[in-house]
Amino acid sequence: MTDIVDLSAIRNARETPDPDLICRDAFGREMRTYVLEYEMDGRRWGLSVMAYSMEDAEARVAAMRDGLVLCGELYRVLPG
C-alpha cells in the first residue's frame, strides 16, 4: 500500500521560518526574525531584528527612527 502524502502540510512547513530564526524571550513568548533594509551611498544594506509580530517589528523600526544610537563595535557573542 502506498503512503498518503499531505501536500498542504508540506506546503505549510515551507512557509514556516527555519527554527534558527525563531527564539523565545525570558517569558517563553515566541520571537521571530524580521529583515530591515536601508540605502546608503547608492547601495542597499540590511540587518535583522527580533520581534513578536510584524506589527511589533514596525513599532521597533519607528522607535529606531526616533532614537537609534551607535553604542560601539561588537566583539563577541556568547552562546545561550
Side-chain angles (χ1 to χ4, degrees):
M1 183 182 250
T2 307
D3 291 336
I4 297 174
V5 176
D6 184 354
L7 294 178
S8 63
I10 293 171
R11 193 176 329 64
N12 290 341
R14 287 184 183 158
E15 294 175 5
T16 302
D18 287 340
D20 292 345
L21 299 174
I22 300 173
C23 71
R24 298 209 174 267
D25 70 5
F27 301 103
R29 296 178 297 180
E30 183 176 279
M31 297 187 81
R32 294 184 175 210
T33 306
Y34 293 85
V35 178
L36 311 179
E37 185 178 79
Y38 63 97
E39 189 173 326
M40 185 174 105
D41 298 331
R43 296 181 66 190
R44 294 187 97 49
W45 301 86
L47 58 124
S48 62
V49 63
M50 300 300 293
Y52 297 108
S53 64
M54 182 64 82
E55 294 78 21
D56 182 43
E58 290 171 343
R60 290 172 188 267
V61 169
M64 288 180 208
R65 280 191 192 106
D66 292 339
L68 189 65
V69 176
L70 176 64
C71 296
E73 182 180 355
L74 183 64
Y75 279 83
R76 190 171 295 112
V77 176
L78 301 176

